[in-house]
């Protein structure tokens, strides 16, 4: 009996792609700390640094993985994930017992293990000072990255303030990043690593009880990054910088909480930063600074944001003012700010409703939501979330008729399949679906006729195709087929053909043949898969019609036409075509 992991080498190759799989094979022998758990595999793999890898068996999807290397951090199944997967497969093969005629008892159910992270902190707390020092020396010797971080902390703890300041400035000097007055996107990754190192320096300052220096250093760094951002002319060339910049904001907040700087200048800095070039991409939220600013600081920040908003209504200043009102906890003032610029589709009304609901004022919240629906009237672009939020509140209060009224109005405004389904659910809850269904179908018929005469109904898209989708959703295939004439798109025609193949094979055959024709000009795996699928369906129609010989002639002609496409020929052979 062999041990089963739930994935194979082919699964690893599919997840990583041929290039990363090939590179991962070279690293498989270097995997260390392999820990195979119930559906999860963890290990480390050396590279420029020592990277941590976690694989998760994903059932039919094979295997998923996460690695903290730069390529893995972007969501890719990297070579380190491949290496760990291969190492796990090889270990399970080597651990498998020799074949035996003796019956092997069924394996015992896996015992749930406590989370490994939950074990770590209590164990570290149980060690005395000497044991902790010995552990750090041992681990830093085995992990160059950890050793470098500890050395950096030691250097920063002993360095004078000017030396630390100069080090941060050298790291954030744009240097190679900016050439000829613009930012070179190819250098952004290297610069991001320098920003990360600057963050490490600032964390070391906090650990050394020099949080005030870390506050100043973080503010200078964010100002410098604002210059880089403006030089780049936007965010599209600086994606690599976003995570370390957000780390920089986080370390600034942590330093502020440790150093407790004067609230007034902190308020001025925070407003200036959030209204500056990188404010909107750093993830800073005034609510997080509530304990640092205190009531006086929050008031000062709100005054500054209000002045900026009055000079230039809308944009960053408007959002910042709303954030600061939320931080102050003044719900009525926040609602008054929202109410100065209500979106016509009801989206702002929903924001107000949610703020009131969170404040425990459910009645006021529902009233604002209802005002939003009335303001949107029969607009086809009424805010979807507003409709859902309001109907959910009606259902919760037992006001099913009110929910049905909203759903009916939305269907009349949009005439979409989704609004039809929502209307059906609401009407069934009220026990009146048959009447509603008849009226809804009549409306779609009228809209289809209006559109066929050249009439335009804003926001309703293609009423004839919506009618086809609705009839299919209702299971009325023959009626959908009649409605589809001259209106349905290829997706709908294929669905119709599949669903009427058994009882209307001639009509289905006509659809399949029509859809096959343009595919003859296409190449590639996706096109070949679709050709094969259609040919199987065409064969089924001919068998149902008793014209199997005609299909044989058709298939022979097609194979002769495409004999120079070996991948397609192989696929047809595999499917018995």
């Amino acid at each position: 009996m062999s041990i089963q992991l739930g994935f194979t080498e082919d699964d690893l190759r599919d997840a990583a792609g041929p290039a990363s799989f090939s590179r991962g094979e070279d690293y498989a022998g270097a995997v260390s700390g392999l820990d195979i758990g119930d559906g999860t595999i963890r290990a480390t793999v050396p590279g420029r640094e020592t990277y941590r890898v976690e694989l998760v068996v994903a059932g039919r999807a094979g295997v998923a993985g996460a690695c903290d290397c730069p390529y893995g951090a972007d969501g890719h199944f990297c070579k380190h994930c491949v290496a760990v997967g291969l190492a796990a497969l090889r270990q399970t093969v080597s651990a498998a017992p020799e074949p035996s005629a003796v019956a092997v008892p069924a394996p015992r159910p896996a015992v749930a293990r406590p989370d490994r992270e939950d074990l770590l902190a209590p164990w570290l707390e149980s060690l005395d000072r000497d044991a902790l020092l010995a552990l750090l020396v041992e681990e830093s010797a085995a992990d160059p990255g950890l050793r470098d971080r500890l050395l950096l902390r030691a250097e920063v703890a002993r360095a004078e303030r000017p030396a630390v300041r100069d080090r941060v400035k050298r790291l954030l000097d744009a240097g190679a990043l900016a050439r000829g007055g613009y930012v070179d996107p190819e250098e952004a990754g290297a610069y991001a690593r320098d920003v990360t190192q600057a963050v490490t320096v600032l964390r070391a300052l906090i650990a050394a009880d020099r949080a005030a220096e870390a506050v100043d250093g973080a503010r200078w760094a964010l100002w410098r990054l604002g210059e880089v951002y403006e030089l780049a002319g936007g965010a599209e060339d600086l994606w690599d910088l976003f995570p370390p910049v957000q780390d920089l904001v986080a370390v600034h907040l942590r330093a502020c909480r440790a150093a407790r700087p004067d609230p007034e200048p902190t308020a001025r800095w925070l407003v200036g930063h959030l209204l500056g070039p990188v404010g909107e991409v750093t993830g800073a939220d005034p609510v997080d600074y509530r304990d640092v600013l205190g009531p006086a600081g929050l008031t000062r920040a709100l005054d500054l944001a209000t002045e900026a908003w009055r000079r230039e209504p809308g944009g960053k200043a408007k959002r910042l003012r709303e954030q600061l009102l939320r931080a102050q906890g003044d719900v009525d003032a926040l609602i008054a700010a929202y109410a100065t610029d209500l979106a016509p589709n009801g989206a702002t009304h929903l924001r107000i409703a949610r703020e009131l609901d969170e404040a425990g004022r459910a009645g006021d919240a529902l009233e604002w939501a209802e005002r939003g629906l009335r303001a949107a009237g029969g607009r086809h672009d009424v805010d979807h979330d507003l409709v859902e939020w309001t109907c959910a509140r009606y259902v919760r209060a037992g006001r099913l008729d009110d929910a049905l009224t909203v759903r009916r109005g939305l269907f009349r405004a949009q005439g979409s399949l989704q609004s039809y389904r929502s209307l059906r659910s609401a009407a069934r809850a009220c026990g009146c679906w048959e009447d509603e269904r008849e009226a809804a179908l009549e409306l779609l018929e009228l809209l289809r006729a209006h559109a066929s005469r050249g009439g335009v109904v804003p926001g309703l898209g293609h009423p004839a195709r919506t009618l086809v989708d609705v009839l299919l959703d209702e299971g009325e295939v023959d009626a959908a087929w009649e409605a589809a004439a001259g209106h349905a798109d290829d997706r709908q025609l294929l669905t119709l053909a599949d669903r009427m193949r058994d009882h209307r094979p001639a009509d289905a055959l006509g659809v399949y043949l029509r859809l096959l024709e343009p595919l003859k000009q296409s190449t590639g795996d996706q096109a070949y898969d679709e050709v094969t699928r259609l040919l199987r369906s065409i064969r089924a129609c001919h068998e149902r019609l008793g014209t199997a010989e005609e299909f044989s002639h058709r298939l022979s002609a097609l194979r002769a036409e495409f004999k120079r496409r070996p991948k397609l020929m192989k696929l047809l052979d595999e499917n018995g075509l």
Side-chain angles (χ1 to χ4, degrees):
M1 182 185 69
S2 62
I3 301 171
Q4 298 295 320
L5 289 176
F7 63 88
T8 64
E9 281 196 18
D10 287 340
D11 292 323
L12 295 173
R13 187 179 286 103
D14 290 343
S20 289
F21 182 84
S22 177
R23 297 188 187 104
E25 289 180 301
D26 298 334
Y27 280 79
V31 172
S32 63
L34 190 64
D35 177 20
I36 302 176
D38 185 14
T40 303
I41 300 168
R42 296 184 178 93
T44 56
V45 184
R48 286 187 178 181
E49 302 177 13
T50 298
Y51 299 117
R52 294 171 295 179
V53 175
E54 179 174 304
L55 303 184
V56 178
V57 179
R60 292 183 180 179
V63 61
C67 176
D68 56 5
C69 75
Y71 189 64
D74 287 338
H76 300 289
F77 195 93
C78 64
K79 61 188 178 184
H80 307 111
C81 292
V82 172
V84 171
L86 291 173
L89 288 169
R90 293 169 188 174
Q91 176 168 308
T92 55
V93 169
S94 65
E98 293 295 325
S100 171
V102 179
V104 179
R108 291 179 296 174
V111 178
R113 299 185 307 167
D115 190 291
R116 298 170 79 242
E117 296 297 329
D118 292 343
L119 296 174
L120 183 59
W123 176 69
L124 289 174
E125 290 172 357
S126 71
L127 301 179
D128 60 25
R129 179 178 180 278
D130 291 339
L132 277 171
L133 287 173
L135 176 65
L136 278 173
V137 170
E138 178 184 346
E139 290 300 319
S140 62
D143 185 343
L146 174 61
R147 180 176 179 275
D148 290 344
R149 290 193 295 274
L150 290 174
L151 279 173
L152 179 62
R153 289 202 173 203
E155 292 171 6
V156 169
R158 298 175 60 182
E160 296 295 328
R161 178 170 183 163
V164 177
R165 182 190 59 214
D166 290 345
R167 182 164 192 169
V168 172
K169 288 186 175 181
R170 284 195 304 272
L171 287 168
L172 294 176
D173 178 12
L177 181 67
R179 293 172 177 163
Y182 72 97
V183 169
D184 184 350
E186 293 184 5
E187 298 291 340
Y191 190 66
R193 289 190 289 273
D194 290 339
V195 177
T196 297
Q197 192 171 358
V199 170
T200 303
V201 171
L202 297 173
R203 286 174 178 158
L205 282 172
I206 299 172
D209 293 327
R210 297 167 63 178
E213 293 176 49
V215 170
D216 292 341
R219 292 180 184 178
W220 182 89
L222 287 166
W223 166 79
R224 185 71 185 94
L225 287 168
E227 289 188 326
V228 172
Y229 185 85
E230 285 189 308
L231 194 61
E236 60 274 6
D237 291 334
L238 297 175
W239 294 114
D240 290 335
L241 278 176
F242 289 172
V245 168
Q246 289 170 350
D247 289 342
L248 190 56
V249 172
V251 83
H252 174 264
L253 178 58
R254 181 179 163 195
C256 284
R257 285 173 173 163
R260 293 294 168 182
D262 190 317
E264 203 280 336
T266 300
R268 281 190 283 106
W269 173 86
L270 183 62
V271 171
H273 167 68
L274 291 174
L275 295 180
V278 294
E280 60 187 345
V281 299
T282 57
D285 187 338
V287 174
D288 296 332
Y289 282 83
R290 190 162 38 195
D291 58 326
V292 173
L293 294 172
L298 278 173
T299 299
R300 179 59 177 147
L302 180 58
D303 290 342
L304 292 169
T306 301
E307 289 174 16
W309 169 69
R310 285 173 179 160
R311 289 193 302 270
E312 189 177 349
K316 293 180 183 179
K318 177 178 181 295
R319 289 194 299 273
L320 177 56
R321 184 168 176 266
E322 291 167 357
Q323 287 177 308
L324 287 164
L325 286 169
R326 186 180 296 108
Q328 281 191 326
D330 191 340
V331 177
D332 290 321
L334 179 59
I335 290 169
Y338 285 152
T340 61
D341 186 18
L342 294 171
N345 69 343
T348 317
H349 292 79
L350 177 60
R351 293 181 68 187
I352 293 173
R354 283 175 168 162
E355 294 287 351
L356 287 166
D357 200 41
E358 189 175 336
R361 295 163 60 178
D364 293 339
L366 183 56
E367 182 181 338
W368 267 98
E370 290 170 332
R371 286 173 61 179
L373 290 176
R374 289 194 297 272
R379 295 176 63 97
H380 66 272
D381 63 343
V382 60
D383 187 73
H384 172 77
D385 291 338
L386 173 64
V387 172
E388 296 303 316
W389 191 94
T390 309
C391 287
R393 294 305 185 280
Y394 282 152
V395 171
R396 186 186 303 171
R399 297 170 57 180
L400 302 182
D401 289 339
D402 290 331
L404 176 58
T405 299
V406 173
R407 297 296 187 187
R408 186 187 298 124
L410 184 65
F411 175 71
R412 289 175 178 172
Q414 294 184 342
S416 65
L417 175 60
Q418 184 56 51
S419 61
Y420 179 87
R421 287 172 171 169
S422 297
L423 174 64
R424 181 172 60 199
S425 296
R428 281 176 174 168
C430 292
C432 60
W433 172 230
E434 288 306 315
D435 291 340
E436 288 291 338
R437 178 180 180 278
E438 183 177 350
L441 292 177
E442 285 180 2
L443 175 62
L444 287 175
E445 287 282 7
L446 287 172
L447 292 172
R448 182 182 68 157
H450 180 66
S452 67
R453 293 193 298 270
V456 176
V457 183
L460 287 178
H462 201 304
R465 290 178 183 173
T466 301
L467 179 60
V468 173
D469 282 335
V470 164
L471 291 171
L472 281 171
D473 198 58
E474 288 284 312
E476 297 190 12
V477 179
D478 291 333
W481 174 248
E482 298 301 324
H487 300 292
D489 57 25
D490 287 351
R491 173 191 62 82
Q492 292 175 315
L493 288 173
L494 182 58
T495 302
L496 280 164
D498 288 343
R499 294 179 63 174
M500 65 186 186
R501 188 169 61 201
D502 291 338
H503 70 285
R504 300 182 70 154
D507 290 329
L509 177 60
V511 171
Y512 291 136
L513 291 174
R514 171 187 159 183
L515 296 177
L516 176 64
E517 203 58 37
L519 284 171
K520 292 180 180 180
Q521 312 305 318
S522 303
T523 58
D525 291 347
Q526 185 175 352
Y528 294 158
D529 286 340
E530 190 59 26
V531 166
T532 304
R533 178 206 187 287
L534 288 172
L535 285 173
R536 288 200 307 265
S537 299
I538 290 169
R539 178 175 59 188
C541 290
H542 277 295
E543 290 172 351
R544 177 70 66 176
L545 291 166
T547 56
E549 187 174 348
E550 183 181 339
F551 174 73
S552 297
H553 291 312
R554 192 186 302 276
L555 180 62
S556 296
L558 188 142
R559 290 184 70 102
E561 184 179 353
F562 297 120
K563 62 183 179 181
R564 296 186 183 277
R565 299 185 186 181
K567 291 186 74 172
L568 176 57
M569 293 298 101
K570 180 182 178 182
L571 195 57
L572 295 180
D573 290 340
E574 291 173 351
N575 284 269
L577 294 166

